PDB file of all heavy atoms in Angstrom:
ATOM      1  N   THR W 538     -14.923  -0.309  11.265  1.00  0.00           N
ATOM      2  CA  THR W 538     -14.443   0.965  11.018  1.00  0.00           C
ATOM      3  C   THR W 538     -12.898   1.001  10.734  1.00  0.00           C
ATOM      4  O   THR W 538     -12.348   1.572   9.854  1.00  0.00           O
ATOM      5  CB  THR W 538     -14.730   1.961  12.173  1.00  0.00           C
ATOM      6  OG1 THR W 538     -16.109   2.013  12.335  1.00  0.00           O
ATOM      7  CG2 THR W 538     -14.190   3.496  11.794  1.00  0.00           C
ATOM      8  N   GLU W 539     -12.266   0.306  11.657  1.00  0.00           N
ATOM      9  CA  GLU W 539     -10.712   0.310  11.576  1.00  0.00           C
ATOM     10  C   GLU W 539     -10.204  -0.437  10.320  1.00  0.00           C
ATOM     11  O   GLU W 539      -9.303   0.075   9.621  1.00  0.00           O
ATOM     12  CB  GLU W 539     -10.118  -0.278  12.900  1.00  0.00           C
ATOM     13  CG  GLU W 539     -10.280   0.548  14.098  1.00  0.00           C
ATOM     14  CD  GLU W 539      -9.511   0.027  15.364  1.00  0.00           C
ATOM     15  OE1 GLU W 539      -8.808  -1.021  15.162  1.00  0.00           O
ATOM     16  OE2 GLU W 539      -9.450   0.685  16.395  1.00  0.00           O
ATOM     17  N   GLU W 540     -10.771  -1.638  10.029  1.00  0.00           N
ATOM     18  CA  GLU W 540     -10.328  -2.309   8.919  1.00  0.00           C
ATOM     19  C   GLU W 540     -10.677  -1.650   7.650  1.00  0.00           C
ATOM     20  O   GLU W 540      -9.850  -1.650   6.677  1.00  0.00           O
ATOM     21  CB  GLU W 540     -10.843  -3.785   8.971  1.00  0.00           C
ATOM     22  CG  GLU W 540     -10.439  -4.610  10.096  1.00  0.00           C
ATOM     23  CD  GLU W 540      -8.941  -4.576  10.230  1.00  0.00           C
ATOM     24  OE1 GLU W 540      -8.166  -4.696   9.231  1.00  0.00           O
ATOM     25  OE2 GLU W 540      -8.329  -4.638  11.415  1.00  0.00           O
ATOM     26  N   LEU W 541     -11.820  -1.087   7.430  1.00  0.00           N
ATOM     27  CA  LEU W 541     -12.145  -0.455   6.216  1.00  0.00           C
ATOM     28  C   LEU W 541     -11.292   0.843   6.111  1.00  0.00           C
ATOM     29  O   LEU W 541     -10.808   1.152   4.959  1.00  0.00           O
ATOM     30  CB  LEU W 541     -13.623   0.089   6.155  1.00  0.00           C
ATOM     31  CG  LEU W 541     -14.618  -1.097   6.055  1.00  0.00           C
ATOM     32  CD1 LEU W 541     -16.155  -0.694   6.259  1.00  0.00           C
ATOM     33  CD2 LEU W 541     -14.441  -1.824   4.728  1.00  0.00           C
ATOM     34  N   THR W 542     -11.114   1.585   7.163  1.00  0.00           N
ATOM     35  CA  THR W 542     -10.267   2.757   7.081  1.00  0.00           C
ATOM     36  C   THR W 542      -8.834   2.490   6.769  1.00  0.00           C
ATOM     37  O   THR W 542      -8.135   3.001   5.841  1.00  0.00           O
ATOM     38  CB  THR W 542     -10.209   3.505   8.475  1.00  0.00           C
ATOM     39  OG1 THR W 542     -11.564   3.894   8.753  1.00  0.00           O
ATOM     40  CG2 THR W 542      -9.336   4.626   8.487  1.00  0.00           C
ATOM     41  N   LYS W 543      -8.263   1.354   7.389  1.00  0.00           N
ATOM     42  CA  LYS W 543      -6.878   0.978   7.103  1.00  0.00           C
ATOM     43  C   LYS W 543      -6.835   0.521   5.628  1.00  0.00           C
ATOM     44  O   LYS W 543      -5.763   0.865   4.891  1.00  0.00           O
ATOM     45  CB  LYS W 543      -6.537  -0.094   8.051  1.00  0.00           C
ATOM     46  CG  LYS W 543      -6.256   0.337   9.505  1.00  0.00           C
ATOM     47  CD  LYS W 543      -5.651  -0.750  10.264  1.00  0.00           C
ATOM     48  CE  LYS W 543      -6.365  -1.815  10.512  1.00  0.00           C
ATOM     49  NZ  LYS W 543      -5.858  -2.949  11.347  1.00  0.00           N
ATOM     50  N   MET W 544      -7.723  -0.200   5.236  1.00  0.00           N
ATOM     51  CA  MET W 544      -7.647  -0.856   3.808  1.00  0.00           C
ATOM     52  C   MET W 544      -7.688   0.360   2.772  1.00  0.00           C
ATOM     53  O   MET W 544      -7.031   0.407   1.773  1.00  0.00           O
ATOM     54  CB  MET W 544      -8.712  -1.843   3.556  1.00  0.00           C
ATOM     55  CG  MET W 544      -8.661  -2.615   2.244  1.00  0.00           C
ATOM     56  SD  MET W 544      -6.961  -3.567   2.255  1.00  0.00           S
ATOM     57  CE  MET W 544      -6.541  -3.258   0.572  1.00  0.00           C
ATOM     58  N   CYS W 545      -8.565   1.322   3.026  1.00  0.00           N
ATOM     59  CA  CYS W 545      -8.776   2.422   2.138  1.00  0.00           C
ATOM     60  C   CYS W 545      -7.433   3.206   2.098  1.00  0.00           C
ATOM     61  O   CYS W 545      -7.026   3.679   0.938  1.00  0.00           O
ATOM     62  CB  CYS W 545     -10.004   3.259   2.454  1.00  0.00           C
ATOM     63  SG  CYS W 545     -11.513   2.581   2.232  1.00  0.00           S
ATOM     64  N   VAL W 546      -6.929   3.639   3.210  1.00  0.00           N
ATOM     65  CA  VAL W 546      -5.716   4.351   3.261  1.00  0.00           C
ATOM     66  C   VAL W 546      -4.596   3.696   2.594  1.00  0.00           C
ATOM     67  O   VAL W 546      -3.650   4.139   1.865  1.00  0.00           O
ATOM     68  CB  VAL W 546      -5.337   4.791   4.737  1.00  0.00           C
ATOM     69  CG1 VAL W 546      -4.025   5.531   4.756  1.00  0.00           C
ATOM     70  CG2 VAL W 546      -6.476   5.610   5.220  1.00  0.00           C
ATOM     71  N   PHE W 547      -4.521   2.365   2.902  1.00  0.00           N
ATOM     72  CA  PHE W 547      -3.452   1.426   2.392  1.00  0.00           C
ATOM     73  C   PHE W 547      -3.498   1.458   0.856  1.00  0.00           C
ATOM     74  O   PHE W 547      -2.483   1.579   0.136  1.00  0.00           O
ATOM     75  CB  PHE W 547      -3.542   0.127   2.920  1.00  0.00           C
ATOM     76  CG  PHE W 547      -2.523  -0.940   2.453  1.00  0.00           C
ATOM     77  CD1 PHE W 547      -1.230  -0.965   2.846  1.00  0.00           C
ATOM     78  CD2 PHE W 547      -2.924  -1.818   1.386  1.00  0.00           C
ATOM     79  CE1 PHE W 547      -0.281  -1.881   2.360  1.00  0.00           C
ATOM     80  CE2 PHE W 547      -1.922  -2.701   0.892  1.00  0.00           C
ATOM     81  CZ  PHE W 547      -0.639  -2.776   1.406  1.00  0.00           C
ATOM     82  N   THR W 548      -4.671   1.250   0.381  1.00  0.00           N
ATOM     83  CA  THR W 548      -4.866   1.184  -1.111  1.00  0.00           C
ATOM     84  C   THR W 548      -4.447   2.431  -1.824  1.00  0.00           C
ATOM     85  O   THR W 548      -3.887   2.546  -2.821  1.00  0.00           O
ATOM     86  CB  THR W 548      -6.344   0.773  -1.517  1.00  0.00           C
ATOM     87  OG1 THR W 548      -6.551  -0.436  -0.982  1.00  0.00           O
ATOM     88  CG2 THR W 548      -6.565   0.728  -2.979  1.00  0.00           C
ATOM     89  N   PHE W 549      -4.918   3.635  -1.160  1.00  0.00           N
ATOM     90  CA  PHE W 549      -4.638   4.939  -1.690  1.00  0.00           C
ATOM     91  C   PHE W 549      -3.102   5.128  -1.763  1.00  0.00           C
ATOM     92  O   PHE W 549      -2.579   5.617  -2.821  1.00  0.00           O
ATOM     93  CB  PHE W 549      -5.283   5.981  -0.888  1.00  0.00           C
ATOM     94  CG  PHE W 549      -4.955   7.365  -1.168  1.00  0.00           C
ATOM     95  CD1 PHE W 549      -5.634   7.964  -2.226  1.00  0.00           C
ATOM     96  CD2 PHE W 549      -4.048   7.999  -0.412  1.00  0.00           C
ATOM     97  CE1 PHE W 549      -5.267   9.312  -2.733  1.00  0.00           C
ATOM     98  CE2 PHE W 549      -3.727   9.440  -0.802  1.00  0.00           C
ATOM     99  CZ  PHE W 549      -4.309   9.965  -1.863  1.00  0.00           C
ATOM    100  N   CYS W 550      -2.466   4.818  -0.669  1.00  0.00           N
ATOM    101  CA  CYS W 550      -0.962   5.065  -0.658  1.00  0.00           C
ATOM    102  C   CYS W 550      -0.226   4.190  -1.703  1.00  0.00           C
ATOM    103  O   CYS W 550       0.726   4.642  -2.286  1.00  0.00           O
ATOM    104  CB  CYS W 550      -0.401   4.850   0.710  1.00  0.00           C
ATOM    105  SG  CYS W 550      -0.968   5.933   1.968  1.00  0.00           S
ATOM    106  N   VAL W 551      -0.668   2.913  -1.784  1.00  0.00           N
ATOM    107  CA  VAL W 551       0.015   2.056  -2.721  1.00  0.00           C
ATOM    108  C   VAL W 551      -0.133   2.546  -4.172  1.00  0.00           C
ATOM    109  O   VAL W 551       0.869   2.621  -4.930  1.00  0.00           O
ATOM    110  CB  VAL W 551      -0.477   0.674  -2.531  1.00  0.00           C
ATOM    111  CG1 VAL W 551       0.029  -0.215  -3.796  1.00  0.00           C
ATOM    112  CG2 VAL W 551      -0.138  -0.056  -1.250  1.00  0.00           C
ATOM    113  N   ARG W 552      -1.309   3.015  -4.509  1.00  0.00           N
ATOM    114  CA  ARG W 552      -1.500   3.504  -5.847  1.00  0.00           C
ATOM    115  C   ARG W 552      -0.822   4.803  -5.991  1.00  0.00           C
ATOM    116  O   ARG W 552      -0.275   5.026  -7.161  1.00  0.00           O
ATOM    117  CB  ARG W 552      -3.033   3.751  -6.016  1.00  0.00           C
ATOM    118  CG  ARG W 552      -3.859   2.460  -6.062  1.00  0.00           C
ATOM    119  CD  ARG W 552      -5.258   2.649  -6.583  1.00  0.00           C
ATOM    120  NE  ARG W 552      -6.014   1.476  -6.530  1.00  0.00           N
ATOM    121  CZ  ARG W 552      -5.917   0.483  -7.493  1.00  0.00           C
ATOM    122  NH1 ARG W 552      -5.159   0.558  -8.388  1.00  0.00           N
ATOM    123  NH2 ARG W 552      -6.783  -0.549  -7.282  1.00  0.00           N
ATOM    124  N   ILE W 553      -0.668   5.609  -5.036  1.00  0.00           N
ATOM    125  CA  ILE W 553       0.092   6.958  -5.239  1.00  0.00           C
ATOM    126  C   ILE W 553       1.501   6.713  -5.456  1.00  0.00           C
ATOM    127  O   ILE W 553       2.193   7.285  -6.322  1.00  0.00           O
ATOM    128  CB  ILE W 553      -0.115   7.854  -3.925  1.00  0.00           C
ATOM    129  CG1 ILE W 553      -1.565   8.334  -3.995  1.00  0.00           C
ATOM    130  CG2 ILE W 553       1.001   9.019  -3.922  1.00  0.00           C
ATOM    131  CD1 ILE W 553      -1.921   9.308  -5.034  1.00  0.00           C
ATOM    132  N   VAL W 554       2.059   5.725  -4.623  1.00  0.00           N
ATOM    133  CA  VAL W 554       3.538   5.401  -4.827  1.00  0.00           C
ATOM    134  C   VAL W 554       3.757   4.708  -6.149  1.00  0.00           C
ATOM    135  O   VAL W 554       4.746   5.063  -6.868  1.00  0.00           O
ATOM    136  CB  VAL W 554       3.951   4.554  -3.637  1.00  0.00           C
ATOM    137  CG1 VAL W 554       5.451   3.964  -3.884  1.00  0.00           C
ATOM    138  CG2 VAL W 554       3.943   5.236  -2.338  1.00  0.00           C
ATOM    139  N   ALA W 555       2.859   3.841  -6.599  1.00  0.00           N
ATOM    140  CA  ALA W 555       2.977   3.125  -7.819  1.00  0.00           C
ATOM    141  C   ALA W 555       2.993   4.133  -8.970  1.00  0.00           C
ATOM    142  O   ALA W 555       3.781   4.049  -9.928  1.00  0.00           O
ATOM    143  CB  ALA W 555       1.940   2.132  -8.072  1.00  0.00           C
ATOM    144  N   SER W 556       2.125   5.145  -8.892  1.00  0.00           N
ATOM    145  CA  SER W 556       2.017   6.199  -9.880  1.00  0.00           C
ATOM    146  C   SER W 556       3.317   6.958  -9.847  1.00  0.00           C
ATOM    147  O   SER W 556       3.887   7.364 -10.979  1.00  0.00           O
ATOM    148  CB  SER W 556       0.836   7.054  -9.589  1.00  0.00           C
ATOM    149  OG  SER W 556       0.754   8.141 -10.510  1.00  0.00           O
ATOM    150  N   ASN W 557       3.902   7.362  -8.793  1.00  0.00           N
ATOM    151  CA  ASN W 557       5.029   8.227  -8.634  1.00  0.00           C
ATOM    152  C   ASN W 557       6.262   7.409  -9.257  1.00  0.00           C
ATOM    153  O   ASN W 557       7.213   7.993  -9.751  1.00  0.00           O
ATOM    154  CB  ASN W 557       5.362   8.650  -7.249  1.00  0.00           C
ATOM    155  CG  ASN W 557       4.282   9.642  -6.779  1.00  0.00           C
ATOM    156  OD1 ASN W 557       3.774  10.361  -7.609  1.00  0.00           O
ATOM    157  ND2 ASN W 557       4.236   9.734  -5.508  1.00  0.00           N
ATOM    158  N   LEU W 558       6.300   6.052  -9.169  1.00  0.00           N
ATOM    159  CA  LEU W 558       7.382   5.340  -9.613  1.00  0.00           C
ATOM    160  C   LEU W 558       7.115   4.816 -11.009  1.00  0.00           C
ATOM    161  O   LEU W 558       7.986   4.024 -11.516  1.00  0.00           O
ATOM    162  CB  LEU W 558       7.598   4.092  -8.677  1.00  0.00           C
ATOM    163  CG  LEU W 558       7.919   4.383  -7.236  1.00  0.00           C
ATOM    164  CD1 LEU W 558       8.079   3.161  -6.452  1.00  0.00           C
ATOM    165  CD2 LEU W 558       9.275   5.208  -7.250  1.00  0.00           C
ATOM    166  N   ASN W 559       6.061   5.385 -11.641  1.00  0.00           N
ATOM    167  CA  ASN W 559       5.728   5.006 -12.998  1.00  0.00           C
ATOM    168  C   ASN W 559       5.547   3.465 -13.216  1.00  0.00           C
ATOM    169  O   ASN W 559       5.846   2.931 -14.265  1.00  0.00           O
ATOM    170  CB  ASN W 559       6.816   5.425 -14.011  1.00  0.00           C
ATOM    171  CG  ASN W 559       7.023   6.972 -14.084  1.00  0.00           C
ATOM    172  OD1 ASN W 559       6.047   7.705 -14.040  1.00  0.00           O
ATOM    173  ND2 ASN W 559       8.225   7.433 -14.022  1.00  0.00           N
ATOM    174  N   GLN W 560       4.953   2.902 -12.215  1.00  0.00           N
ATOM    175  CA  GLN W 560       4.456   1.507 -12.203  1.00  0.00           C
ATOM    176  C   GLN W 560       2.970   1.560 -12.348  1.00  0.00           C
ATOM    177  O   GLN W 560       2.334   1.463 -11.371  1.00  0.00           O
ATOM    178  CB  GLN W 560       4.928   0.699 -11.092  1.00  0.00           C
ATOM    179  CG  GLN W 560       6.572   0.655 -11.096  1.00  0.00           C
ATOM    180  CD  GLN W 560       7.040  -0.168  -9.844  1.00  0.00           C
ATOM    181  OE1 GLN W 560       6.416  -1.032  -9.486  1.00  0.00           O
ATOM    182  NE2 GLN W 560       8.231   0.201  -9.294  1.00  0.00           N
ATOM    183  N   LYS W 561       2.360   1.393 -13.663  1.00  0.00           N
ATOM    184  CA  LYS W 561       1.064   1.773 -13.764  1.00  0.00           C
ATOM    185  C   LYS W 561       0.189   0.727 -13.194  1.00  0.00           C
ATOM    186  O   LYS W 561      -0.962   0.975 -12.750  1.00  0.00           O
ATOM    187  CB  LYS W 561       0.719   1.855 -15.337  1.00  0.00           C
ATOM    188  CG  LYS W 561       1.450   3.167 -15.822  1.00  0.00           C
ATOM    189  CD  LYS W 561       1.062   3.214 -17.376  1.00  0.00           C
ATOM    190  CE  LYS W 561       1.702   4.439 -17.925  1.00  0.00           C
ATOM    191  NZ  LYS W 561       1.361   4.578 -19.363  1.00  0.00           N
ATOM    192  N   LYS W 562       0.512  -0.515 -13.257  1.00  0.00           N
ATOM    193  CA  LYS W 562      -0.240  -1.573 -12.690  1.00  0.00           C
ATOM    194  C   LYS W 562      -0.203  -1.661 -11.221  1.00  0.00           C
ATOM    195  O   LYS W 562      -1.159  -1.682 -10.566  1.00  0.00           O
ATOM    196  CB  LYS W 562       0.119  -2.889 -13.365  1.00  0.00           C
ATOM    197  CG  LYS W 562      -0.148  -3.066 -14.811  1.00  0.00           C
ATOM    198  CD  LYS W 562       0.159  -4.419 -15.373  1.00  0.00           C
ATOM    199  CE  LYS W 562      -0.169  -4.547 -16.762  1.00  0.00           C
ATOM    200  NZ  LYS W 562       0.076  -5.842 -17.371  1.00  0.00           N
ATOM    201  N   SER W 563       0.915  -1.919 -10.647  1.00  0.00           N
ATOM    202  CA  SER W 563       1.087  -1.982  -9.219  1.00  0.00           C
ATOM    203  C   SER W 563       2.461  -2.029  -8.866  1.00  0.00           C
ATOM    204  O   SER W 563       3.412  -1.892  -9.712  1.00  0.00           O
ATOM    205  CB  SER W 563       0.422  -3.200  -8.694  1.00  0.00           C
ATOM    206  OG  SER W 563       0.415  -3.295  -7.306  1.00  0.00           O
ATOM    207  N   LEU W 564       2.829  -2.101  -7.649  1.00  0.00           N
ATOM    208  CA  LEU W 564       4.206  -2.316  -7.099  1.00  0.00           C
ATOM    209  C   LEU W 564       4.550  -3.816  -7.039  1.00  0.00           C
ATOM    210  O   LEU W 564       3.734  -4.689  -7.146  1.00  0.00           O
ATOM    211  CB  LEU W 564       4.345  -1.670  -5.685  1.00  0.00           C
ATOM    212  CG  LEU W 564       4.131  -0.192  -5.632  1.00  0.00           C
ATOM    213  CD1 LEU W 564       4.045   0.187  -4.107  1.00  0.00           C
ATOM    214  CD2 LEU W 564       5.160   0.517  -6.314  1.00  0.00           C
ATOM    215  N   HIS W 565       5.959  -4.011  -6.887  1.00  0.00           N
ATOM    216  CA  HIS W 565       6.430  -5.403  -6.734  1.00  0.00           C
ATOM    217  C   HIS W 565       5.632  -6.056  -5.578  1.00  0.00           C
ATOM    218  O   HIS W 565       5.391  -5.432  -4.511  1.00  0.00           O
ATOM    219  CB  HIS W 565       7.870  -5.359  -6.541  1.00  0.00           C
ATOM    220  CG  HIS W 565       8.560  -6.728  -6.731  1.00  0.00           C
ATOM    221  ND1 HIS W 565       8.640  -7.533  -5.619  1.00  0.00           N
ATOM    222  CD2 HIS W 565       9.055  -7.318  -7.724  1.00  0.00           C
ATOM    223  CE1 HIS W 565       9.056  -8.630  -6.093  1.00  0.00           C
ATOM    224  NE2 HIS W 565       9.480  -8.763  -7.365  1.00  0.00           N
ATOM    225  N   THR W 566       5.362  -7.399  -5.641  1.00  0.00           N
ATOM    226  CA  THR W 566       4.625  -8.057  -4.571  1.00  0.00           C
ATOM    227  C   THR W 566       5.386  -7.898  -3.317  1.00  0.00           C
ATOM    228  O   THR W 566       4.720  -7.765  -2.190  1.00  0.00           O
ATOM    229  CB  THR W 566       4.576  -9.519  -4.945  1.00  0.00           C
ATOM    230  OG1 THR W 566       3.798  -9.698  -6.251  1.00  0.00           O
ATOM    231  CG2 THR W 566       3.831 -10.292  -3.875  1.00  0.00           C
ATOM    232  N   ASP W 567       6.669  -8.129  -3.277  1.00  0.00           N
ATOM    233  CA  ASP W 567       7.552  -7.979  -2.081  1.00  0.00           C
ATOM    234  C   ASP W 567       7.431  -6.662  -1.408  1.00  0.00           C
ATOM    235  O   ASP W 567       7.310  -6.447  -0.210  1.00  0.00           O
ATOM    236  CB  ASP W 567       9.034  -8.276  -2.233  1.00  0.00           C
ATOM    237  CG  ASP W 567       9.165  -9.696  -2.530  1.00  0.00           C
ATOM    238  OD1 ASP W 567       8.300 -10.495  -2.374  1.00  0.00           O
ATOM    239  OD2 ASP W 567      10.333 -10.092  -3.112  1.00  0.00           O
ATOM    240  N   VAL W 568       7.300  -5.584  -2.274  1.00  0.00           N
ATOM    241  CA  VAL W 568       7.111  -4.298  -1.744  1.00  0.00           C
ATOM    242  C   VAL W 568       5.793  -4.074  -1.103  1.00  0.00           C
ATOM    243  O   VAL W 568       5.634  -3.604   0.061  1.00  0.00           O
ATOM    244  CB  VAL W 568       7.324  -3.154  -2.858  1.00  0.00           C
ATOM    245  CG1 VAL W 568       7.221  -1.753  -2.210  1.00  0.00           C
ATOM    246  CG2 VAL W 568       8.667  -3.295  -3.431  1.00  0.00           C
ATOM    247  N   ILE W 569       4.765  -4.519  -1.668  1.00  0.00           N
ATOM    248  CA  ILE W 569       3.320  -4.445  -1.114  1.00  0.00           C
ATOM    249  C   ILE W 569       3.286  -5.122   0.187  1.00  0.00           C
ATOM    250  O   ILE W 569       2.634  -4.774   1.136  1.00  0.00           O
ATOM    251  CB  ILE W 569       2.312  -4.913  -2.100  1.00  0.00           C
ATOM    252  CG1 ILE W 569       2.399  -3.947  -3.323  1.00  0.00           C
ATOM    253  CG2 ILE W 569       1.021  -4.929  -1.503  1.00  0.00           C
ATOM    254  CD1 ILE W 569       1.302  -4.414  -4.405  1.00  0.00           C
ATOM    255  N   ASN W 570       3.925  -6.396   0.253  1.00  0.00           N
ATOM    256  CA  ASN W 570       3.826  -7.239   1.446  1.00  0.00           C
ATOM    257  C   ASN W 570       4.586  -6.438   2.643  1.00  0.00           C
ATOM    258  O   ASN W 570       4.114  -6.383   3.648  1.00  0.00           O
ATOM    259  CB  ASN W 570       4.613  -8.534   1.214  1.00  0.00           C
ATOM    260  CG  ASN W 570       3.699  -9.454   0.316  1.00  0.00           C
ATOM    261  OD1 ASN W 570       2.485  -9.275   0.216  1.00  0.00           O
ATOM    262  ND2 ASN W 570       4.274 -10.403  -0.400  1.00  0.00           N
ATOM    263  N   THR W 571       5.759  -5.865   2.294  1.00  0.00           N
ATOM    264  CA  THR W 571       6.445  -5.228   3.275  1.00  0.00           C
ATOM    265  C   THR W 571       5.770  -3.894   3.735  1.00  0.00           C
ATOM    266  O   THR W 571       5.750  -3.636   4.978  1.00  0.00           O
ATOM    267  CB  THR W 571       7.952  -4.759   2.688  1.00  0.00           C
ATOM    268  OG1 THR W 571       8.672  -5.917   2.341  1.00  0.00           O
ATOM    269  CG2 THR W 571       8.678  -4.017   3.822  1.00  0.00           C
ATOM    270  N   ALA W 572       5.083  -3.295   2.793  1.00  0.00           N
ATOM    271  CA  ALA W 572       4.364  -2.135   3.104  1.00  0.00           C
ATOM    272  C   ALA W 572       3.133  -2.466   3.986  1.00  0.00           C
ATOM    273  O   ALA W 572       2.817  -1.749   4.993  1.00  0.00           O
ATOM    274  CB  ALA W 572       3.772  -1.405   1.804  1.00  0.00           C
ATOM    275  N   ALA W 573       2.498  -3.580   3.781  1.00  0.00           N
ATOM    276  CA  ALA W 573       1.297  -4.050   4.670  1.00  0.00           C
ATOM    277  C   ALA W 573       1.855  -4.284   6.024  1.00  0.00           C
ATOM    278  O   ALA W 573       1.045  -3.890   7.064  1.00  0.00           O
ATOM    279  CB  ALA W 573       0.662  -5.222   4.048  1.00  0.00           C
ATOM    280  N   PHE W 574       3.009  -4.937   6.174  1.00  0.00           N
ATOM    281  CA  PHE W 574       3.538  -5.197   7.501  1.00  0.00           C
ATOM    282  C   PHE W 574       3.795  -3.946   8.199  1.00  0.00           C
ATOM    283  O   PHE W 574       3.377  -3.709   9.449  1.00  0.00           O
ATOM    284  CB  PHE W 574       4.840  -6.088   7.332  1.00  0.00           C
ATOM    285  CG  PHE W 574       5.404  -6.409   8.641  1.00  0.00           C
ATOM    286  CD1 PHE W 574       5.085  -7.455   9.487  1.00  0.00           C
ATOM    287  CD2 PHE W 574       6.575  -5.704   9.097  1.00  0.00           C
ATOM    288  CE1 PHE W 574       5.622  -7.672  10.671  1.00  0.00           C
ATOM    289  CE2 PHE W 574       7.144  -5.934  10.308  1.00  0.00           C
ATOM    290  CZ  PHE W 574       6.716  -6.939  11.046  1.00  0.00           C
ATOM    291  N   VAL W 575       4.526  -3.017   7.692  1.00  0.00           N
ATOM    292  CA  VAL W 575       4.896  -1.751   8.306  1.00  0.00           C
ATOM    293  C   VAL W 575       3.623  -1.028   8.671  1.00  0.00           C
ATOM    294  O   VAL W 575       3.534  -0.435   9.644  1.00  0.00           O
ATOM    295  CB  VAL W 575       5.831  -0.927   7.356  1.00  0.00           C
ATOM    296  CG1 VAL W 575       5.977   0.432   7.920  1.00  0.00           C
ATOM    297  CG2 VAL W 575       7.118  -1.618   7.136  1.00  0.00           C
ATOM    298  N   PHE W 576       2.681  -0.838   7.726  1.00  0.00           N
ATOM    299  CA  PHE W 576       1.512  -0.085   7.814  1.00  0.00           C
ATOM    300  C   PHE W 576       0.698  -0.636   9.077  1.00  0.00           C
ATOM    301  O   PHE W 576       0.318   0.100   9.957  1.00  0.00           O
ATOM    302  CB  PHE W 576       0.700  -0.248   6.587  1.00  0.00           C
ATOM    303  CG  PHE W 576      -0.746   0.447   6.683  1.00  0.00           C
ATOM    304  CD1 PHE W 576      -0.860   1.792   6.374  1.00  0.00           C
ATOM    305  CD2 PHE W 576      -1.855  -0.199   6.989  1.00  0.00           C
ATOM    306  CE1 PHE W 576      -1.992   2.546   6.458  1.00  0.00           C
ATOM    307  CE2 PHE W 576      -3.077   0.523   7.122  1.00  0.00           C
ATOM    308  CZ  PHE W 576      -3.141   1.784   6.734  1.00  0.00           C
ATOM    309  N   ALA W 577       0.502  -1.944   9.112  1.00  0.00           N
ATOM    310  CA  ALA W 577      -0.270  -2.570  10.185  1.00  0.00           C
ATOM    311  C   ALA W 577       0.403  -2.386  11.535  1.00  0.00           C
ATOM    312  O   ALA W 577      -0.210  -2.159  12.606  1.00  0.00           O
ATOM    313  CB  ALA W 577      -0.514  -4.060   9.989  1.00  0.00           C
ATOM    314  N   LEU W 578       1.710  -2.521  11.528  1.00  0.00           N
ATOM    315  CA  LEU W 578       2.588  -2.445  12.835  1.00  0.00           C
ATOM    316  C   LEU W 578       2.537  -1.085  13.335  1.00  0.00           C
ATOM    317  O   LEU W 578       2.285  -0.743  14.633  1.00  0.00           O
ATOM    318  CB  LEU W 578       3.982  -2.856  12.575  1.00  0.00           C
ATOM    319  CG  LEU W 578       4.910  -2.849  13.718  1.00  0.00           C
ATOM    320  CD1 LEU W 578       4.354  -3.679  14.952  1.00  0.00           C
ATOM    321  CD2 LEU W 578       6.291  -3.264  13.422  1.00  0.00           C
ATOM    322  N   PHE W 579       2.649   0.003  12.491  1.00  0.00           N
ATOM    323  CA  PHE W 579       2.654   1.364  13.018  1.00  0.00           C
ATOM    324  C   PHE W 579       1.309   1.804  13.347  1.00  0.00           C
ATOM    325  O   PHE W 579       1.133   2.539  14.326  1.00  0.00           O
ATOM    326  CB  PHE W 579       3.369   2.227  12.155  1.00  0.00           C
ATOM    327  CG  PHE W 579       4.788   2.290  12.078  1.00  0.00           C
ATOM    328  CD1 PHE W 579       5.635   1.602  11.214  1.00  0.00           C
ATOM    329  CD2 PHE W 579       5.390   3.033  13.068  1.00  0.00           C
ATOM    330  CE1 PHE W 579       6.971   1.609  11.240  1.00  0.00           C
ATOM    331  CE2 PHE W 579       6.805   3.063  13.255  1.00  0.00           C
ATOM    332  CZ  PHE W 579       7.557   2.368  12.272  1.00  0.00           C
TER     333      PHE W 579
END
């Protein structure tokens, strides 16, 4: 439950931010790695 929930929310947020920043494909790899670290820690 936790891993599926976290992964779904994480994916949703990354796509939303990428869209807002006009990065259609994805965010920079370093940004996604940092986001994953912060997301998991909090």
Side-chain angles (χ1 to χ4, degrees):
T538 301
E539 290 189 0
E540 295 307 325
L541 288 177
T542 299
K543 289 190 293 181
M544 190 60 221
C545 287
V546 175
F547 177 79
T548 300
F549 175 78
C550 291
V551 170
R552 293 192 183 281
I553 289 296
V554 173
S556 176
N557 289 338
L558 295 175
N559 295 319
Q560 298 183 31
K561 296 182 179 180
K562 291 185 177 181
S563 183
L564 296 172
H565 191 277
T566 301
D567 289 346
V568 179
I569 295 181
N570 289 337
T571 301
F574 177 81
V575 173
F576 179 87
L578 180 59
F579 277 103

